[in-house]
Amino acid sequence: MLTDTPILEIDAVSKRFVTELDIAERTARLLGSKVEPLTVHAVDGVRLSVRKGEVLGLVGESGCGKSTLGRMVAGLMPPSEGQIRFRGRDVAALRGAEAREAALKIQMVFQDPMSSLNPRLRVDEIVGEAPRVHGIVSRREQDGYVDDLLNRVGLDPTTRKRYPHQFSGGQRARIGIARALAVKPDFIVCDESVAALDVSIQAQILNLFMRLREELDLTYLFISHDLGVVEHISDRIAVMYLGRLVELGAAEDVLRRPNHPYTQALVAEIPTFETKKKAFNPIKGEIPSPLKPPTGCHFHPRCPHAHQRCIVERPALKEIAPGRLSACHLNDEARAAA
Ligand SMILES: Nc1ncnc2c1ncn2[C@@H]1O[C@H](COP(=O)(O)OP(=O)(O)OP(=O)(O)O)[C@@H](O)[C@H]1O
Ligand code: SF4
Ligand SMILES: [Mg+2]
């Protein structure tokens, strides 16, 4: 059930990766050249809260930091700065049993089930191992528990002695979902969970996610590079560009009346049903290197409305209407002129 209570708060979270120098660069450095390791600011001061029961779609082009943010939410890596709170508690500060419980409550479903499912394990082990190890079921109960989960995700329980390669892509996606559900999570980070699937299978898996949300009272952070995928299932949509959040609002508002010029370009390029398979290349101009992001507004080299202020000043993410945020100087200027 969708509520106003935040279940997850992402509070000014940043993640920086320092790239290792290769052998040539290390040698050049030893010889006196000024070669420094480069820092990627993969996530840059993101603030976002997810309400219990909602589906928050997180979109943006490749490399904008979606997976990095998702991994931090799932506790797979700590933020460089800022705090991620689950039910009001800083996840990185939890220890012992509390840390283990939080790790189970937030699960991640990945893009490519073939590489995230162990090819040497049978389905009953893939799905049943974690709940047994964590004491959610006994060894005696495990078979029945796995059968219930397989039924729930639309798989025939008689297939539980098979290996991942004996299933289709859509069925493997269902196995990945059953594995995530097996530890009774409250929150699921779906990272490009349907990206590898054909369009008709994508729709079936999206429907499954929505049914499971209702049945199990789940909350989703639904990550996709494709606005067309998140548009039908999200309550709200967050748009990222080169590590920063640039727009946030109710899904319908963001799609019907995108405010940020980057979101406007994404919306203009949502592939139609016929062209769904075309490469997602929404906006003119290259995505700038995250190693050397543009000054001011990161979007300025590609923005049709860019002006002098955009080159020098980072636009703050501001409320432009109730529940609606955007980071573009044009909003200040429109307000000042009104
Ligand atoms: N472990 C890492 N070490 C160094 N750099 C990394 C690491 N993980 C991610 N990055 C860099 O951080 C930036 C954000 O990457 P991320 O995978 O979060 O983007 P994304 O939005 O998920 O992209 P995609 O749509 O391609 O999955 C990229 O420049 C990436 O190269
Ligand atoms: S701040 Fe400037 S460059 Fe950035 S999106 Fe707005 S108009 Fe375009
Ligand atoms: Mg990713």
Side-chain angles (χ1 to χ4, degrees), residues 179-248:
R179 178 180 59 176
L181 294 179
V183 293
K184 299 186 183 289
D186 292 333
F187 192 104
I188 300 192
V189 178
C190 307
D191 190 1
E192 305 281 3
S193 306
V194 299
L197 304 172
D198 288 347
V199 176
S200 61
I201 310 289
Q202 272 189 1
Q204 290 173 14
I205 301 295
L206 291 175
N207 284 339
L208 173 64
F209 274 119
M210 298 319 284
R211 179 164 62 72
L212 293 170
R213 169 170 82 149
E214 290 295 317
E215 290 175 3
L216 302 171
D217 206 12
L218 296 169
T219 304
Y220 296 129
L221 177 62
F222 205 100
I223 296 173
S224 176
H225 65 278
D226 185 346
L227 198 48
V229 164
V230 301
E231 70 169 318
H232 301 296
I233 62 162
S234 302
D235 297 300
R236 289 189 302 152
I237 291 179
V239 183
M240 275 180 86
Y241 189 75
L242 281 187
R244 296 175 180 170
L245 196 60
V246 298
E247 182 155 5
L248 173 69

Side-chain angles (χ1 to χ4, degrees), residues 36-68:
E36 294 295 330
L38 294 168
T39 301
V40 185
H41 214 147
V43 174
D44 184 2
V46 169
R47 279 179 207 277
L48 192 58
S49 82
V50 187
R51 299 166 191 157
K52 187 173 178 308
E54 87 168 328
V55 181
L56 182 73
L58 179 63
V59 295
E61 287 161 300
S62 182
C64 73
K66 305 179 297 295
S67 295
T68 304

